[in-house]
C-alpha cells in the first residue's frame, strides 16, 4: 500500500528526510552567552524520538548583536560547537535529520523574552537581572526603528554589511562541523535579512538599497557565501515573510520572484511564513490568521518558482497536513506549538493515517498495543474514564 503523502521521503540536495514532518524552529530563550545546554539536548531530542523527519534547532545568532534576547542560542564562536554537536548527534541517532536556523535579529534585537511581551530592554536591564552588556546597540540597513517603542538602530556601513556576510558564512561552517545537515536562514519577521529586502525598512541609496536588485543584494550574497562555505550535499532553506502585510510592503508576487533568485543562489526549499516587518499596530495588517494560513503562499512559491516549499502555521491535525501535501499546497509541513503540546505528533499521525505504529520506538511499545486493546475492551463494555465518578 502506498504510504500517505506525509510519510513519503523527501530529498533535498544530499539530504533525505524519512517523512515530510518538520519541527519548526522555536526560540526557547534558555542559553547563556549563546551556549546550548542539557535543556537543548532533551528538548530537541524528544522531537526526534517522536518521529519527526526534520528537527530544526531554534534561531541561532551568527553575531552577538543579532540575538533576539540575551538568552538566545549562538553560533558566533567555535566554543559553541561542542554543545551544538551533542544536540545534532542525538537527533541524528534518533532517526531525524538535524537542522539549525541561523539568524540575526537586526533592529528587532535586544528585547525581553516573549513572556515579557518581547519589549525592548531598557537602560535598567542589568539592574533587573539581565546579563552585563544589556541592552546593546542594534543594527539595520537604515536608522529606522522597528516600531514606536523600539530604539533607533545603527545604520550599517558597507563594511559592516560585508563583515556580516562573512559572519553568516562562518556560522554555517560551524553548523556543519557540529553535525547539522540542514541549514535554514531566517529571512522573515522583520529580522536583518528581511529588513534589507523590504522597502518599508531599507532606505539606503548605496549598492545594498534603492532598487529591488539593491535590496536583494545582501540576502542573496549571504546565501551565496553560505553555499560556498558548506559541502554541496548540505540542504539550505530560507524562511521568508511571504507578505509584509502593510501598504507599500512586499507582496506574494515579490516573494515568488525573490524565491527564483534564491533558488539560483543555492537554496533548496523555501519556508513560507509572513509579517513582522514592523511592530506598529496602527498600520493596517493584511495577514489573516487561521488554520494553515500560509498554505496559499507555499503553493504560490512552489508553483511560481518551481521549487520545494514548506508551510507552517496552525497545522494541528494529521488529516489536515495530509491534505495540504496531497493537494499540492506544500512539499512538507512544519509544526511548532503543536509539537510543544505533543512531541509524539508524527507517531500519532502515522497511526491516524495508516493505522500503523511501525515507527514507534520499541522502548515505548507498552504505550501502544496493550493500551489500545484495553481501551477498546472498555469502550465495548460502555465504560468511560468518568464511569467510576457517576456511580
Amino acid at each position: 500500500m502506498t504510504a500517505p503523502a506525509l510519510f513519503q521521503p523527501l530529498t533535498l540536495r544530499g539530504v533525505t528526510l524519512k517523512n515530510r514532518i518538520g519541527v519548526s524552529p522555536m526560540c526557547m530563550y534558555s542559553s547563556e552567552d549563546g551556549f546550548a545546554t542539557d535543556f537543548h539536548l532533551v528538548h530537541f531530542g524528544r522531537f526526534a524520538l517522536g518521529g519527526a523527519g526534520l528537527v530544526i534547532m531554534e534561531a541561532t545568532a551568527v553575531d552577538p548583536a543579532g540575538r533576539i534576547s540575551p538568552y538566545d542560542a549562538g553560533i558566533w564562536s567555535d566554543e559553541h560547537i561542542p554543545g551544538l554537536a551533542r544536540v545534532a548527534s542525538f537527533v541524528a541517532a534518533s532517526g531525524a535529520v538535524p537542522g539549525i536556523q541561523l539568524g540575526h535579529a537586526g533592529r528587532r534585537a535586544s528585547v525581553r523574552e516573549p513572556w515579557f511581551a518581547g519589549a525592548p530592554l531598557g537602560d535598567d536591564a542589568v539592574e533587573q537581572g539581565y546579563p552585563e552588556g544589556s541592552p546593546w546597540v542594534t543594527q539595520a540597513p537604515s536608522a529606522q526603528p522597528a516600531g514606536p517603542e523600539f530604539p533607533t538602530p545603527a545604520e550599517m556601513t558597507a563594511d559592516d554589511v560585508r563583515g556580516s556576510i562573512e559572519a553568516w558564512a562562518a556560522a554555517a561552517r560551524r553548523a556543519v562541523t557540529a553535525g547539522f545537515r540542514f541549514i535554514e536562514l531566517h529571512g522573515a519577521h522583520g529580522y536583518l535579512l528581511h529588513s534589507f529586502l523590504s522597502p518599508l525598512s531599507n532606505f539606503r541609496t548605496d549598492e545594498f538599497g534603492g532598487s529591488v536588485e539593491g535590496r536583494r543584494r545582501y540576502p542573496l550574497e549571504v546565501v551565496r557565501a553560505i553555499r560556498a562555505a558548506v559541502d554541496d550535499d548540505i540542504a539550505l532553506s530560507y524562511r521568508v515573510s511571504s507578505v509584509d502585510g502593510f501598504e507599500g510592503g512586499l507582496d506574494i508576487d515579490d516573494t515568488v520572484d525573490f524565491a527564483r533568485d534564491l533558488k539560483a543562489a543555492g537554496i533548496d526549499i523555501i519556508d513560507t511564513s509572513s509579517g513582522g516587518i514592523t511592530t506598529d499596530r496602527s498600520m493596517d495588517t493584511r495577514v489573516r490568521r487561521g488554520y494553515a494560513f500560509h498554505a496559499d503562499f507555499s503553493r504560490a512559491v512552489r508553483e511560481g518558482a518551481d521549487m520545494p516549499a514548506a508551510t507552517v502555521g496552525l497545522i494541528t491535525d494529521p488529516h489536515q497536513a495530509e491534505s495540504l501535501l496531497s493537494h499540492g499546497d506544500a512539499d512538507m509541513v512544519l509544526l511548532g506549538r503543536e509539537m510543544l503540546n505533543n512531541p509524539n505528533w508524527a507517531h500519532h499521525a502515522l497511526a491516524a493515517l495508516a493505522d500503523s505504529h511501525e515507527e514507534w520506538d520499541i522502548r515505548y511499545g507498552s504505550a501502544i498495543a496493550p493500551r489500545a486493546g484495553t481501551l477498546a475492551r472498555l469502550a465495548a463494555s460502555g465504560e468511560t474514564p468518568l464511569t467510576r465518578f457517576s456511580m
Side-chain angles (χ1 to χ4, degrees):
M1 185 175 68
T2 303
L6 198 60
F7 288 91
Q8 293 178 13
L10 175 65
T11 298
L12 299 168
R13 202 168 285 260
V15 176
T16 298
L17 311 179
K18 67 179 180 181
N19 59 47
R20 297 173 183 236
I21 302 168
V23 178
S24 186
M26 296 172 281
C27 290
M28 301 309 295
Y29 308 94
S30 298
S31 296
E32 292 188 11
D33 296 323
F35 287 96
T37 67
D38 287 348
F39 168 83
H40 298 89
L41 177 65
V42 174
H43 175 70
F44 293 107
R46 68 178 183 163
F47 297 132
L49 289 173
L54 171 67
V55 178
I56 310 176
M57 188 170 170
E58 64 196 88
T60 306
V62 304
D63 183 311
R67 292 169 296 162
I68 301 169
S69 84
Y71 304 116
D72 278 26
I75 195 168
W76 61 80
S77 166
D78 289 351
E79 294 178 358
H80 291 126
I81 294 174
L84 294 170
R86 293 179 67 217
V87 176
S89 176
F90 186 86
V91 168
S94 301
V97 169
I100 189 169
Q101 186 185 67
L102 305 183
H104 190 302
R107 64 182 190 166
R108 298 198 64 172
S110 192
V111 300
R112 303 177 192 275
E113 306 92 305
W115 43 90
F116 296 122
L121 292 167
D123 292 337
D124 60 348
V126 174
E127 287 78 3
Q128 292 187 348
Y130 285 93
E132 290 291 336
S134 303
W136 56 90
V137 176
T138 59
Q139 300 173 318
S142 303
Q144 299 288 328
E149 72 277 23
F150 275 70
T152 300
E155 181 171 314
M156 297 172 71
T157 67
D159 286 343
D160 291 335
V161 175
R162 295 187 183 93
S164 178
I165 293 169
E166 174 50 35
W168 284 90
R173 286 190 288 267
R174 294 185 188 104
V176 173
T177 300
F180 293 98
R181 303 283 298 156
F182 179 103
I183 298 175
E184 176 165 285
L185 287 69
H186 199 333
H189 304 163
Y191 298 144
L192 190 61
L193 292 173
H194 184 194
S195 67
F196 267 87
L197 188 66
S198 175
L200 298 179
S201 49
N202 186 343
F203 303 98
R204 301 174 73 96
T205 57
D206 65 358
E207 61 182 316
F208 296 105
S211 65
V212 171
E213 293 75 16
R215 287 186 280 108
R216 291 181 183 178
R217 189 180 306 279
Y218 171 67
L220 288 174
E221 289 198 11
V222 167
V223 171
R224 294 187 190 106
I226 289 178
R227 184 76 272 171
V230 302
D231 294 339
D232 191 55
D233 62 350
I234 299 297
L236 295 186
S237 171
Y238 193 102
R239 171 165 278 190
V240 295
S241 276
S242 305
V243 296
D244 279 341
F246 298 106
E247 186 68 33
L250 300 170
D251 61 26
I252 188 58
D253 291 335
D254 297 318
T255 297
V256 170
D257 190 56
F258 179 51
R260 298 187 189 105
D261 287 347
L262 290 170
K263 179 181 179 181
I267 291 295
D268 302 300
I269 186 169
I270 302 294
D271 174 3
T272 52
S273 187
S274 66
I277 193 60
T278 177
T279 63
D280 187 352
R281 301 303 179 191
S282 69
M283 299 177 73
D284 180 28
T285 182
R286 300 177 182 177
V287 180
R288 184 189 68 82
R289 291 180 177 270
Y291 287 111
F293 63 103
H294 292 129
D296 288 344
F297 301 145
S298 55
R299 173 184 280 274
V301 167
R302 74 189 299 266
E303 293 179 352
D306 189 26
M307 67 183 302
T311 192
V312 66
L314 283 176
I315 298 168
T316 62
D317 180 82
H319 297 281
Q320 172 203 30
E322 177 72 7
S323 180
L324 290 169
L325 299 187
S326 61
H327 286 86
D329 291 314
D331 297 277
M332 70 177 301
V333 294
L334 297 175
L335 288 81
R337 293 176 179 88
E338 195 65 22
M339 284 290 184
L340 294 179
N341 179 55
N342 178 13
N344 293 324
W345 190 92
H347 287 325
H348 292 302
L350 184 61
L353 298 173
D355 192 24
S356 172
H357 294 95
E358 63 184 27
E359 296 296 326
W360 200 285
D361 190 309
I362 194 170
R363 292 168 291 189
Y364 295 90
S366 60
I368 308 167
R371 176 178 180 273
T374 299
L375 292 176
R377 177 182 59 79
L378 291 171
S381 70
E383 190 169 347
T384 74
L386 294 178
T387 299
R388 63 171 295 193
F389 298 103
S390 60
M391 293 178 178

